[in-house]
Amino acid sequence: MRIKVLPEEVASAIAAGEVVERPASVVKELIENSIDAGANEIRIEVVEAGRSRITVADNGEGIQTDELELALSRHATSKLSSRDDLFAISTLGFRGEALPSIASVSRFEMTSRARQQAEGRFIVIEGGARIDAGSVGAPTGTSVHVRDLFYNVPARREFLKSDRTEQAWISDYVQRYALAYPSIRFELTLDGRPAFQSSGRGQHREILAEIFGIDRAHSFLTMAPVDAGQIRLEGYLSPPIVNRSNRKELTFFVNGRWIQDAALSAAVIQAYHGLLMVGRYPMTVLFLEVPAGMVDVNVHPAKSEVRFREPGQVFRVVQRAVRATLLKQAPPPSLESETQLPSGFPVQVGWGDGEGSQRWPEFPEPPLRSLELLPAEAGSEIPLLRSIGQIGASYLVAEGPEGLYLIDQHAAHERILFEKLMGEMRAGELESQGLLEPVTVEMSPQEAALLEPQIEVLQGLGFGVESFGSNTYRIRSLPVLLMNLDPAAALRSVVEDFEEDERPLEKALEEKVAARVCKRAAVKAGQVLSLEEQRQLVRQLEACQSPRACPHGRPTMIHMSVDSLARQFGRRG
Ligand code: ADP
Ligand code: MG
């Protein structure tokens, strides 16, 4: 094949592919345009998760009638004119690609009236082709309707996830921008129902409460503004006791732009070092301001990544500021208070970087009581084992006819509880215990969206949970296995691990939720077990149908045969 320059339509299809990945990208680009236009009110309407319609309307400065068509051509922008401008970008947009890209993969309609002009203008584009344009009466500002997104790119359409997932992406963008621009009033409706709203009164705290729920947002620590050289930083941090199982809630804004940055995430996680259990992550919202010349925003077509000129410096500033805030506002309990902890309290986690002997306790663990409920039956897949002891308060050592077994106590207990729970559920004799007082939990809209389809399954598992108004739930009873946990935390913990993308079938959903419940209820690594408890655990594991892996698929045990021991000691070739 000979080399040729791509026709314009092919080139724009390629560009569109990078900029418009999913409905949420459309929402993001249109919101950015509205913010750049100085709007203080932005209304977003989404129908069928953006598949059938996305509308973004603002009261910004609008577009001059004679420039509307131009705004829709590729590389047309009012935000950049010279190459030098690229290194001093103060607007969210600058590539002049979003509108033509969106218009090339949808039925697109834009109406705008500039502040100084008496009338507005509209333009209609379908799949990149101009269909209609003309004058029209309109309020100052701009409104864009994007209908039938990807109607002409079926592959993209098929690629979209469930409505719930696409809606969660959209809400995410709207909420992040609301946080970054608290003086702008945002309003999001999903299929005609209000899904999110910010008042535009300039209060971060108010928006945090909308996003995270009042009680959690209330617990967040405020990081006082830090001025470090040319970097300004402020934000909000969850105290160590408020945490989650993934790093999705580490939010960074750089000069008002929501970005993803692995190094900044690492800086925050490092700052929490020693304060959180392994595998738990904080929720943080950090606003960084750096001189435009110190950051390159032209890294990615979706503008969701940046490159700092001095990445090491930014890392240090963030890590120190977060750490300092935590030490000051959420100090670990002193050594004296440790002596008041009940005996058998789990192993303490020391501070990682030279903060002396201060220690921070892990959460109280549910006692092993539930172990006794389990009958040890025959029919095992592993040989009968003899318990020998425990290593590192985490692994059990046992001996069998074929050698040495090291058992991960947490994984093993998860497996045991899982089979018990599933067995009880199938037999219709699941144990659930009523709470003295029902507990009300407020969820974030995203959590509520994840919880909603699981409610029935949760009820089947002994969670007496019911909807109690918008994003609020009431818990009346808990599975017996979780009786020792805080009900709200127990409910959150089964919801939060759900990936946005998960759409498991009913059957699988049941098992997944059950596995999560068991993960919560199982003894943790770091918990000292008596010899009798160790024996019981091993016996119950022997009785399991699939004793070799926990419900999440991790191995429960490592086996070293007598043969391999002999080899390792050089007794045998
Ligand atoms: P960019 O934002 O990178 O400049 P876009 O394709 O998103 O590129 O928009 C092209 C131009 O159209 C913008 O530079 C701006 O002048 C104008 N424009 C787009 N949306 C709006 C809006 N909501 N209000 C006012 N002007 C807008
Ligand atoms: Mg733009």
Side-chain angles (χ1 to χ4, degrees):
M1 281 245 279
R2 301 189 55 83
I3 299 173
K4 53 191 173 294
V5 174
L6 291 174
E8 171 65 22
E9 59 176 87
V10 180
S12 40
I14 293 172
E18 288 173 330
V19 178
V20 192
E21 221 188 309
R22 52 178 5 113
S25 345
V26 171
V27 171
K28 167 187 180 282
E29 293 294 340
L30 296 179
I31 290 180
E32 289 188 350
N33 282 346
S34 297
I35 295 172
D36 284 344
N40 61 15
E41 257 186 65
I42 304 176
R43 202 164 40 78
I44 304 114
E45 282 172 35
V46 173
V47 180
E48 283 181 68
R51 280 171 232 268
S52 61
R53 179 167 63 87
I54 295 169
T55 294
V56 174
D58 68 54
N59 64 351
E61 66 192 10
I63 301 174
Q64 304 280 346
T65 44
D66 59 345
E67 288 188 342
L68 189 65
E69 260 107 331
L70 190 58
L72 267 303
S73 42
R74 217 144 68 83
H75 305 308
T77 178
S78 55
K79 303 167 191 176
L80 195 71
S81 51
S82 75
R83 210 181 138 123
D84 289 345
D85 293 349
L86 249 189
F87 303 99
I89 289 169
S90 59
T91 48
L92 293 169
F94 56 87
R95 301 175 63 100
E97 274 185 341
L99 293 184
S101 295
I102 297 167
S104 73
V105 292
S106 68
R107 301 184 215 278
F108 179 97
E109 187 186 329
M110 186 172 193
T111 305
S112 191
R113 197 190 111 205
R115 194 151 288 158
Q116 323 76 3
Q117 293 193 306
E119 61 177 11
R121 192 171 171 80
F122 75 94
I123 185 166
V124 180
I125 297 179
E126 277 193 28
R130 184 174 168 286
I131 300 287
D132 195 8
S135 302
V136 68
T140 311
T142 303
S143 61
V144 177
H145 301 287
V146 176
R147 295 193 175 85
D148 304 326
L149 184 63
F150 299 137
Y151 80 96
N152 53 353
V153 201
R156 267 293 150 102
R157 235 183 134 81
E158 273 158 38
F159 221 59
L160 298 181
K161 300 277 171 47
S162 71
D163 276 12
R164 232 187 313 131
T165 301
E166 296 296 340
Q167 284 174 346
W169 279 81
I170 291 170
S171 306
D172 250 17
Y173 274 117
V174 176
Q175 294 179 347
R176 302 302 141 148
Y177 276 114
L179 254 182
Y181 297 88
S183 306
I184 300 178
R185 216 178 85 83
F186 285 86
E187 197 185 294
L188 168 69
T189 60
L190 300 174
D191 296 320
R193 265 167 298 157
F196 173 81
Q197 193 163 329
S198 69
S199 71
R201 279 195 296 264
Q203 299 297 323
H204 280 145
R205 285 270 174 192
E206 197 181 285
I207 302 161
L208 288 171
E210 281 288 334
I211 298 178
F212 293 100
I214 292 172
D215 40 348
R216 253 190 298 170
H218 193 72
S219 76
F220 282 16
L221 314 173
T222 304
M223 175 194 280
V226 173
D227 251 305
Q230 293 176 291
I231 305 170
R232 266 186 57 86
L233 174 64
E234 61 180 316
Y236 301 87
L237 313 171
S238 64
I241 49 161
V242 179
N243 55 60
R244 51 180 295 137
S245 64
N246 57 48
R247 45 187 98 196
K248 279 189 206 138
E249 294 299 345
L250 303 179
T251 302
F252 301 96
F253 299 99
V254 174
N255 298 346
R257 188 187 299 281
W258 180 27
I259 56 129
Q260 317 287 332
D261 190 295
L264 289 182
S265 296
V268 169
I269 290 168
Q270 213 180 80
Y272 276 81
H273 180 77
L275 294 168
L276 289 174
M277 281 194 290
V278 176
R280 304 298 299 178
Y281 299 92
M283 286 171 261
T284 59
V285 178
L286 295 181
F287 303 92
L288 279 91
E289 296 288 334
V290 301
M294 271 183 68
V295 57
D296 184 1
V297 292
N298 189 22
V299 177
H300 191 264
K303 301 165 288 176
S304 56
E305 284 164 35
V306 297
R307 211 172 282 138
F308 294 104
R309 187 174 287 171
E310 306 267 0
Q313 189 196 357
V314 180
F315 181 98
R316 276 190 302 280
V317 169
V318 169
Q319 195 267 348
R320 284 192 192 145
V322 172
R323 186 75 174 174
T325 306
L326 291 171
L327 288 185
K328 205 153 147 208
Q329 297 184 40
S334 67
L335 279 174
E336 292 87 85
S337 69
E338 208 176 302
T339 57
Q340 293 159 14
L341 294 171
S343 62
F345 199 80
V347 172
Q348 312 297 308
V349 179
W351 282 67
D353 28 26
E355 250 93 3
S357 57
Q358 286 168 308
R359 302 181 139 216
W360 182 259
E362 287 183 36
F363 307 105
E365 306 294 348
L368 267 176
R369 187 175 50 85
S370 44
L371 278 178
E372 288 135 31
L373 303 172
L374 297 164
E377 284 158 18
S380 94
E381 218 188 60
I382 49 173
L384 291 178
L385 302 176
R386 184 170 67 88
S387 288
I388 296 174
Q390 192 184 22
I391 303 181
S394 301
Y395 306 101
L396 307 184
V397 189
E399 190 212 354
E402 276 133 47
L404 172 75
Y405 293 79
L406 283 173
I407 298 168
D408 179 317
Q409 67 190 41
H410 173 67
H413 198 200
E414 267 185 285
R415 161 54 61 188
I416 294 164
L417 295 177
F418 180 73
E419 293 199 1
K420 171 178 150 63
L421 198 63
M422 294 306 286
E424 283 179 0
M425 194 157 63
R426 284 183 191 130
E429 51 192 39
L430 199 110
E431 291 176 78
S432 159
Q433 191 165 323
L435 302 174
L436 290 177
E437 294 259 343
V439 173
T440 309
V441 196
E442 202 197 326
M443 298 272 182
S444 70
Q446 280 87 340
E447 285 173 332
L450 290 176
L451 176 63
E452 208 54 56
Q454 299 182 53
I455 284 195
E456 223 173 288
V457 179
L458 285 169
Q459 284 167 344
L461 284 167
F463 265 100
V465 56
E466 62 199 25
S467 178
F468 193 59
S470 74
N471 302 336
T472 307
Y473 296 86
R474 187 171 243 191
I475 310 174
R476 295 183 178 282
S477 60
L478 278 186
V480 168
L481 284 182
L482 295 182
M483 253 348 257
N484 297 299
L485 297 181
D486 165 50
L491 183 62
R492 282 220 165 89
S493 68
V494 291
V495 175
E496 70 173 3
D497 294 352
F498 261 78
E499 288 301 318
E500 286 151 356
D501 290 358
E502 279 184 285
R503 248 188 305 172
L505 300 169
E506 244 352 84
K507 194 83 220 121
L509 182 65
E510 206 164 70
E511 290 196 1
K512 272 194 157 132
V513 177
R516 256 148 228 175
V517 170
C518 294
K519 181 173 171 190
R520 263 281 142 170
V523 291
K524 301 288 185 292
Q527 189 167 345
V528 178
L529 303 182
S530 71
L531 198 57
E532 184 45 39
E533 287 172 324
Q534 298 169 28
R535 277 198 201 110
Q536 280 189 31
L537 200 89
V538 171
R539 230 173 288 139
Q540 287 157 15
L541 186 65
E542 286 165 3
C544 284
Q545 280 173 358
S546 319
R548 289 181 186 273
C550 79
H552 303 96
R554 279 198 304 117
T556 53
M557 58 174 65
I558 296 171
H559 174 213
M560 294 180 88
S561 67
V562 178
D563 261 9
S564 86
L565 286 173
R567 257 196 308 278
Q568 307 241 8
F569 284 111
R571 290 173 167 272
R572 216 175 280 173

